[in-house]
Amino acid sequence: SRGLGDVYKRQALSFLVLIITILPKIKLRRIKPILLVVFLALISINGYLCYSLVDMLKPMIPSTLMLSIVYVHTLLLIVLTLAGLLYNFVFSTKASWVLTMIVLLIFFAEVLRAIGYYGIAFENVAVYLARVLTIVMGAMIIRYSFIAKTEEESLTNKVF
């Protein structure tokens, strides 16, 4: 069986692919500077909370390499969340709203999964909530694929 490090590496790679797909669609000149500051402040607060969570998990992570992978995974998750929020702000359509919901479901499912798997609080409840959010996220991905999108907001460009 594969270890938890493999799971984090695969998820980090999938987050990176989503980030690479979303970021070229975001035009920062459409965003007012004050709103960009608010977005960055929210992401900074979330980043601090996520890294605090990882610091709580430190004693349970077996190696420094695995801890580094978890930190990279967390950083990519935060960047993905920011990219999803900015994408929704730039396009403000039904498709962008669904994509933002997908990204937020990924974020909350990952946080709940970490809380449950590492036994921080309410282990079973957190894991089952994470699974429910993952199922809802899958349904949202299917919904997103059927929504008509303009060429500008479409994410079907080749990544590599």
Side-chain angles (χ1 to χ4, degrees):
S1 77
R2 298 191 186 267
L4 196 55
D6 290 334
V7 172
Y8 279 115
K9 286 186 270 186
R10 283 192 307 269
Q11 286 180 343
L13 182 62
S14 67
F15 295 163
L16 186 61
V17 169
L18 277 171
I19 291 166
I20 290 171
T21 305
I22 294 172
L23 279 183
K25 300 293 183 175
I26 298 171
K27 308 287 189 255
L28 289 179
R29 56 191 113 99
R30 288 187 182 177
I31 301 171
K32 294 179 182 176
I34 188 72
L35 196 57
L36 194 58
V37 168
V38 170
F39 275 135
L40 291 176
L42 286 173
I43 293 304
S44 298
I45 292 168
N46 283 336
Y48 172 75
L49 292 174
C50 283
Y51 281 106
S52 296
L53 177 65
V54 173
D55 282 340
M56 288 172 51
L57 303 178
K58 230 183 236 185
M60 296 172 249
I61 297 176
S63 69
T64 308
L65 176 64
M66 177 68 178
L67 183 64
S68 301
I69 292 169
V70 171
Y71 275 124
V72 169
H73 176 269
T74 304
L75 174 70
L76 290 173
L77 184 61
I78 292 166
V79 171
L80 177 61
T81 305
L82 174 65
L85 290 172
L86 289 174
Y87 178 84
N88 183 46
F89 181 77
V90 168
F91 292 105
S92 220
T93 62
K94 186 175 183 179
S96 70
W97 173 247
V98 171
L99 181 71
T100 302
M101 291 302 299
I102 292 168
V103 168
L104 291 174
L105 286 168
I106 290 171
F107 180 82
F108 288 116
E110 286 302 309
V111 169
L112 285 170
R113 191 171 290 120
I115 289 170
Y117 285 165
Y118 289 105
I120 295 172
F122 308 109
E123 294 91 6
N124 289 334
V125 174
V127 169
Y128 286 121
L129 278 174
R131 289 177 182 169
V132 167
L133 291 179
T134 303
I135 291 168
V136 171
M137 177 191 56
M140 296 291 277
I141 290 171
I142 293 168
R143 176 73 181 121
Y144 178 79
S145 67
F146 287 111
I147 296 175
K149 295 170 266 317
T150 65
E151 183 64 32
E152 184 184 13
E153 71 176 322
S154 178
L155 296 178
T156 58
N157 296 343
K158 294 188 179 191
V159 176
F160 298 107

